[in-house]
Amino acid sequence: MAMNLRVPEELDRRLEQLAAEEHTSKSALLLQGAELVLQRHARRREIGAGLDFVMSHDAELLTRLEDA
């Protein structure tokens, strides 16, 4: 899928520099960045779901520990 993306000049300059250092393209760097954002959000959802599970399944235990 093709996409047009407007990038501020400063960011474009920094991407160009990093792409040259890494011997890759700016497009590849932006794809890596997008993947990292998606992974971060997925991880936050997993952590939230885990906390919700603990709070619902271990609420009594947490209350007892709080009072200890």
Side-chain angles (χ1 to χ4, degrees):
M1 175 183 194
M3 175 187 277
N4 290 327
L5 179 66
R6 295 182 193 272
V7 179
E9 286 184 32
E10 174 62 17
L11 180 57
D12 184 60
R13 185 187 62 73
R14 292 168 55 204
L15 284 169
E16 188 77 41
Q17 183 179 3
L18 182 58
E21 291 172 9
E22 296 292 321
H23 305 289
T24 190
S25 67
K26 291 187 289 185
S27 179
L29 291 175
L30 291 171
L31 289 173
Q32 290 174 17
E35 184 62 39
L36 288 172
V37 168
L38 292 170
Q39 289 174 4
R40 183 184 333 156
H41 283 277
R43 183 71 177 140
R44 286 179 182 164
R45 283 192 298 272
E46 290 172 0
I47 290 170
L51 288 172
D52 290 345
F53 178 84
V54 168
M55 295 303 288
S56 65
H57 286 81
D58 295 326
E60 183 181 327
L61 174 60
L62 291 171
T63 301
R64 286 196 327 239
L65 288 171
E66 185 179 87
D67 294 338

